[in-house]
Amino acid sequence: MSLAVLIWFAIPIGIYTLMFEQKSKRKYQQLFEDFYTQTMNNPKLTQIQKHDLMMQLLEKNGYKIIEESDSKLIGEKKILSLGWIILGLGFFYVGVLFYLLYYYLMQKPHRLVYEL
């Protein structure tokens, strides 16, 4: 009986969590864009200082720097979705296995590209 209850509650909770994650993802991206704009428009900073600030921002947020030059900075990070995991629980736990296989084998990382 408890498995059936878990399944019935996991699907709507998973859908709600996915919607919340999408909303949070937009806010998260906006924070990066705002920092980038403020840094690039600051006349007191040299080009090297701007580069270092952007690199620190990416590293502090768990991004792996894959390309670095004087004019470009690219960082990547795989983002695990709690919403998909909860939703997968609603499908007799098989969905969790499929999502984790997708995450480790096929998911493309979130990529941020900054022109300095």
Side-chain angles (χ1 to χ4, degrees):
M1 180 78 173
S2 64
L3 179 63
V5 171
L6 176 66
I7 289 170
W8 282 105
F9 283 114
I11 293 174
I13 291 171
I15 291 170
Y16 175 77
T17 307
L18 277 173
M19 291 179 358
F20 179 76
E21 282 178 354
Q22 290 301 317
K23 185 178 174 183
S24 297
K25 191 177 187 181
R26 285 190 294 270
K27 287 181 183 178
Y28 181 69
Q29 184 68 32
Q30 189 61 44
L31 287 173
F32 278 91
E33 296 302 322
D34 291 344
F35 184 81
Y36 174 74
T37 303
Q38 289 173 358
T39 303
M40 292 300 121
N41 293 333
N42 189 343
K44 296 179 182 177
L45 296 174
T46 65
Q47 192 68 17
I48 294 170
Q49 290 172 325
K50 291 175 183 180
H51 181 271
D52 290 343
L53 283 173
M54 293 307 298
M55 195 160 152
Q56 288 173 6
L57 174 72
L58 291 174
E59 288 174 345
K60 283 183 181 178
N61 285 285
Y63 283 83
K64 182 175 134 186
I65 307 297
I66 60 166
E67 185 179 325
E68 177 186 357
S69 68
D70 292 337
S71 62
K72 187 186 264 189
L73 194 59
I74 300 176
E76 285 185 343
K77 174 183 177 179
K78 280 191 173 184
I79 300 174
L80 185 69
S81 173
L82 183 62
W84 282 112
I85 289 175
I86 294 172
L87 197 59
L89 287 174
F91 293 103
F92 302 103
Y93 302 102
V94 175
V96 174
L97 296 174
F98 283 126
Y99 176 69
L100 290 175
L101 283 172
Y102 167 76
Y103 174 78
Y104 285 111
L105 301 176
M106 295 182 287
Q107 183 183 24
K108 293 180 182 176
H110 181 245
R111 180 178 270 202
L112 294 175
V113 179
Y114 292 110
E115 299 288 333
L116 304 172

